[in-house]
Amino acid sequence: MLNPTILGYCACSSGVVLGDAGNDTITIGNSYIGYYGAATVSGGGDDDSITISSTDIASYNGSTGVVLGDAGNDTIALSMNSDVGNSGNGTVSGGDGADLISLASGSDIGDNAGSTGQVLGDAGNDTITIDASYVGDGGNATVSGGDDNDSIVLT
């Protein structure tokens, strides 16, 4: 990564990006967020759009990374080798509402040995698409649409 944006990079640090109430757009690229510690990216209430590319979110040994849509009809898209809790615990969750969640191009959620990766639609009619990415590859994986009528596509 050339000249990344860094939020909470050092050991025991944390990084938080919050959209809170309203229809928020969060775009994160070429960044480290809570790399050696913990990180949360949250859209908050309402219909949010979270786009993450070429970014590590709490991706070092034992770290915990969480990406949340929370309430509303949210869109969460990870691409271009974006990692969430890659060597610890990673969760991507749409929360309530009809959410669209996509992982593509080598994006990893809780990928390394002993890690836990979760991709959760939660309540609502959700669509989850995982293409050429890893969830809990070296540990434990959960992909769940949650309640209601969901679509899960793995390619």
Side-chain angles (χ1 to χ4, degrees), residues 17-137:
V17 177
L18 301 175
D20 287 330
N23 297 332
D24 304 306
T25 299
I26 299 172
T27 303
I28 302 170
N30 191 38
S31 299
Y32 293 115
I33 301 179
Y35 187 72
Y36 285 95
T40 300
V41 175
S42 174
D46 299 311
D47 302 338
D48 304 308
S49 175
I50 301 171
T51 304
I52 300 169
S53 64
S54 300
T55 294
D56 288 331
I57 298 174
S59 289
Y60 202 71
N61 292 341
S63 57
T64 299
V66 180
V67 177
L68 305 171
D70 291 322
N73 300 328
D74 305 306
T75 299
I76 301 172
L78 278 74
S79 66
M80 298 179 62
N81 300 313
S82 292
D83 299 329
V84 177
N86 197 33
S87 294
N89 299 306
T91 300
V92 175
S93 172
D96 294 341
D99 305 307
L100 301 173
I101 300 172
S102 66
L103 277 62
S105 304
S107 294
D108 302 331
I109 312 299
D111 176 45
N112 293 327
S115 297
T116 299
Q118 298 182 90
V119 178
L120 310 171
D122 294 322
N125 300 327
D126 306 305
T127 300
I128 299 171
T129 303
I130 301 174
D131 179 39
S133 298
Y134 297 105
V135 177
D137 181 49

